[in-house]
Amino acid sequence: MNTVLLTWNPGFSSFRMLDHLHTIESYNADEELDYCLNWAIRDYDKVTIGDRYYMVKLGLGGVGIVGCGTITTMPTQGDDWRGEGRKIYYSEFKPEVMLNPDAVSILTCEELSRAIPEVNWYHWHSGVVLSEEVAEKLNKLWDDFLLKYRVELVEKGTYASGNDKVYWNILKRLHPE
């Protein structure tokens, strides 16, 4: 299983902050989404169904990880979201956790840079597969973050599949009995 880093800057992305907030609301309400959740994948030849992804928000406001989940389709070529005629591949994904960076704590790019300096967290092509070593560090950092901010994230309406279930599964994985 690979770990894929998806980057997002709502300032120039076709997926705006309002789209992100709508997605969180829709998932929390168990509604069918009226648009497909997919993202550009740079390493399309390495990404497979079941790979884990982390979404890093860049640009204005809070910057850092705003979600994670699972890649659900193989990358397929599609229209360039910028309309520049580039060869772009997309994969669909299913969120496990989605955070509103303007309402809750996030794992910031600053924290990521200190813990994993071999990655430039402020500038990255979307859909890049991380090395196993970096992925391991990131998974541990993310699990620790979710445990630390569990109460805040649940109380403020952030989406987590099965809500508290996600956090209990992480706790069990970190502290098997």
Side-chain angles (χ1 to χ4, degrees):
M1 180 175 83
N2 292 314
T3 300
V4 183
L5 194 63
L6 304 179
T7 56
W8 170 49
N9 185 333
F12 67 83
S13 174
S14 61
F15 189 76
R16 304 289 184 192
M17 181 58 81
L18 285 177
D19 298 322
H20 182 68
L21 298 177
H22 172 72
T23 303
I24 292 172
E25 286 178 23
S26 296
Y27 270 99
N28 280 332
D30 287 330
E31 296 174 8
E32 288 293 318
L33 298 177
D34 59 353
Y35 52 89
C36 182
L37 292 172
N38 65 37
W39 217 258
I41 304 293
R42 184 178 184 101
D43 290 340
Y44 62 90
D45 55 339
K46 298 175 187 171
V47 171
T48 61
I49 295 170
D51 285 350
R52 183 159 183 77
Y53 78 85
Y54 288 94
M55 175 79 67
V56 178
K57 179 196 168 284
L58 301 171
L60 298 175
V63 294
I65 295 179
V66 295
C68 71
T70 305
I71 302 289
T72 58
T73 64
M74 294 298 290
T76 57
Q77 190 172 351
D79 293 333
D80 180 353
W81 62 272
R82 281 189 179 173
E84 297 173 356
R86 298 173 300 163
K87 185 176 177 179
I88 304 284
Y89 287 80
Y90 300 90
S91 281
E92 293 183 11
F93 62 91
K94 181 177 180 181
E96 178 182 279
V97 175
M98 293 180 76
L99 307 177
N100 176 349
D102 298 326
V104 297
S105 298
I106 62 172
L107 184 53
T108 67
C109 286
E110 183 178 331
E111 293 169 291
L112 291 161
S113 293
R114 279 195 305 269
I116 310 171
E118 57 266 42
V119 174
N120 179 354
W121 295 98
Y122 295 95
H123 178 75
W124 200 257
H125 292 287
S126 190
V128 174
V129 173
L130 299 174
S131 72
E132 280 186 44
E133 181 182 319
V134 168
E136 225 174 271
K137 290 179 188 177
L138 180 56
N139 289 332
K140 169 91 171 84
L141 205 58
W142 180 247
D143 287 349
D144 291 347
F145 166 82
L146 289 179
L147 286 173
K148 180 177 180 180
Y149 292 99
R150 178 181 166 271
V151 172
E152 174 192 349
L153 300 178
V154 170
E155 285 179 354
K156 292 192 176 178
T158 293
Y159 171 72
S161 61
N163 244 343
D164 220 30
K165 181 181 169 192
V166 169
Y167 302 103
W168 284 112
N169 288 340
I170 291 168
L171 187 60
K172 279 193 264 182
R173 188 171 71 237
L174 293 175
H175 304 286
E177 308 254 336

